[in-house]
Amino acid sequence: MRVLLTGGAGYIGAHTAVALIEAGHDVLVVDDLSNSSAEAIARVERITGASVPLLVADCRDEEALVAFAAAHGPVDAVIHFAGLKAVGESVAEPVRYYDVNVGSALAVLRAMARLDIRTIVFSSSATVYGDPEVLPMTEASPTGIDLANPYGKTKRIIEEILQDAAAADPQLRAVSLRYFNPVGAHPSGSIGEDPNGVPNNLMPYVARVAVGALERIGIFGDDYDTPDGTGQRDYIHVADLASGHVAALEHARAGYDVYNLGTGIPVSVRELIAAFERACGRDLPAVVLPRRPGDIAASYCDPSKAEQGLGWRAELTIDDACRDAWRWQSQNPQGYATV
Ligand code: NAD
Ligand code: WQD
């Protein structure tokens, strides 16, 4: 297959590009580089030995998408990663989030119709489940009740758009993948997560403390109703997540489908820090802070639908993820800007 990745220079997109190429597919990328670097694509090319055409454009630009895909086509499928993803920022700038995220998805679907592309895989999120009443979350768990942030709502809205588009076109194959907490890096250490500024998410924050760029980890609450009082999440290695996209493309059937991509294993903040300490070989300073507004106590999935429907399951552990995140962070202390 020839696969167009929107947002393919980003964290998950770059790892998926490697997995697709290694599975024998061709890849082209559209990315406006608003949260990434062209260096990520250069490194994907170095890891795989393949050439990856990159169009630097906003994927709300339907004409640019059509011209690029036509020039490098025929394209068989799209994986739509592009979008804004900072939860707090989405509360402060909701109109920008709806515009970029929903607008991008609509432009991609219009471009696909013009190019006669009938397969789309979409980056959705566990955040669509909000604060679940029952754990683990299955694909049948309720979504959208009390969704506190516009970011999560854009994911839910795009899922609904895909469902409607698939209902209207019996040949469309549309899959939403609800990622749990992606972490880790390519085992080579040459691509990884490179957030701008101070990281919002736990793993990149811990990695920056380990490399000496930040002073200490703040643990956001140790009084949750969890075994050690800190929040539990389902951390999935980005290489497993990447192979989940390959499986979704290869198994997608006509119609709309949704899959959780996670390990099913809850890991607490303290357990993640301990795993990172094993990976980097030293103790990491940490202090307990108040809970972060909007956080939930625990989030983890039942991943069995993906195993049945896609023949996929996560293989890597939190120790694998910390080892690979540490290799990436220590080899690239300034991320892709490291010279
Ligand atoms: P990322 O920011 O590293 O990647 C997104 C990419 O899209 C970036 O390269 C950015 O430059 C690009 N982009 C943003 N807006 C664009 C636009 N209008 N046109 C073209 N390119 C644009 O983020 P990521 O972690 O790789 O996430 C990829 C997708 O997965 C996103 O849709 C995100 O919401 C979703 N997701 C991420 C997580 C996570 O924790 N990382 C969890 C669940 C879902
Ligand atoms: C994990 C745990 C924190 C930072 C967010 C988005 C979600 C998804 C992934 C895209 C929690 C704790 C964190 C820190 C801490 N993105 N923590 N100190 O909140 O599960 O999910 O990113 O779809 O939508 O909400 O991930 O990594 O921020 O937090 O103690 O400095 O670590 O309280 O328990 P989260 P996270």
Side-chain angles (χ1 to χ4, degrees), residues 91-301:
V91 175
E93 301 178 60
V95 176
R96 184 161 79 96
Y97 268 67
Y98 286 112
D99 188 357
V100 174
N101 289 6
V102 182
S104 295
L106 292 172
V108 165
L109 285 167
R110 286 194 302 266
M112 285 175 58
R114 287 170 60 185
L115 293 156
D116 203 23
I117 303 169
R118 289 292 192 18
T119 303
I120 180 165
V121 173
F122 170 59
S123 299
S124 189
S125 170
T127 199
V128 299
Y129 295 117
D131 192 353
E133 280 183 15
V134 179
L135 286 166
M137 287 106 135
T138 74
E139 291 78 355
S141 298
T143 62
I145 301 169
D146 296 336
L147 268 190
N149 64 83
Y151 166 73
K153 290 183 193 168
T154 69
K155 294 297 181 192
R156 191 186 64 199
I157 290 166
I158 296 165
E159 286 196 3
E160 286 175 6
I161 291 170
L162 290 174
Q163 191 164 11
D164 291 345
D169 175 358
Q171 288 184 54
L172 192 67
R173 309 188 309 160
V175 182
S176 292
L177 299 178
R178 293 178 179 156
Y179 313 155
F180 278 68
N181 288 61
V183 290
H186 190 266
S188 66
S190 64
I191 55 174
E193 187 171 14
D194 185 20
N196 289 325
V198 178
N200 294 314
N201 296 119
L202 180 62
M203 178 72 101
Y205 199 102
V206 170
R208 292 216 180 157
V209 171
V211 84
L214 291 168
E215 206 177 319
R216 70 172 97 82
I217 303 158
I219 297 173
F220 296 150
D222 67 352
D223 57 352
Y224 284 105
D225 184 16
T226 59
D228 69 14
T230 67
Q232 292 178 311
R233 295 292 183 273
D234 185 337
Y235 296 98
I236 175 170
H237 194 297
V238 68
D240 276 334
L241 196 60
S243 68
H245 290 75
V246 180
L249 272 187
E250 292 176 347
H251 288 80
R253 292 178 309 235
Y256 177 72
D257 226 331
V258 54
Y259 293 99
N260 288 335
L261 294 187
T263 64
I265 301 167
V267 171
S268 74
V269 174
R270 287 202 190 279
E271 287 170 334
L272 185 146
I273 295 169
F276 210 99
E277 288 176 333
R278 289 193 289 277
C280 71
R282 66 184 184 90
D283 290 345
L284 300 174
V287 58
V288 176
L289 299 176
R291 292 182 180 193
R292 183 172 61 180
D295 272 357
I296 59 178
S299 159
Y300 55 95
C301 76

Side-chain angles (χ1 to χ4, degrees), residues 5-15 29-37 55-61 65 80-86 99-101 103-104 122-127 151 154-155 177-183 192-195 201 238 241 245:
L5 308 188
T6 72
Y11 172 46
I12 301 165
H15 289 84
V29 168
V30 178
D31 199 302
D32 67 0
L33 305 182
S34 56
N35 196 38
S36 56
S37 156
L55 172 71
V56 180
D58 188 316
C59 65
R60 286 170 295 178
D61 185 345
L65 289 182
H80 182 49
F81 297 103
L84 303 174
K85 65 165 185 176
D99 188 357
V100 174
N101 289 6
S104 295
F122 170 59
S123 299
S124 189
S125 170
T127 199
Y151 166 73
T154 69
K155 294 297 181 192
L177 299 178
R178 293 178 179 156
Y179 313 155
F180 278 68
N181 288 61
V183 290
E193 187 171 14
D194 185 20
N201 296 119
V238 68
L241 196 60
H245 290 75

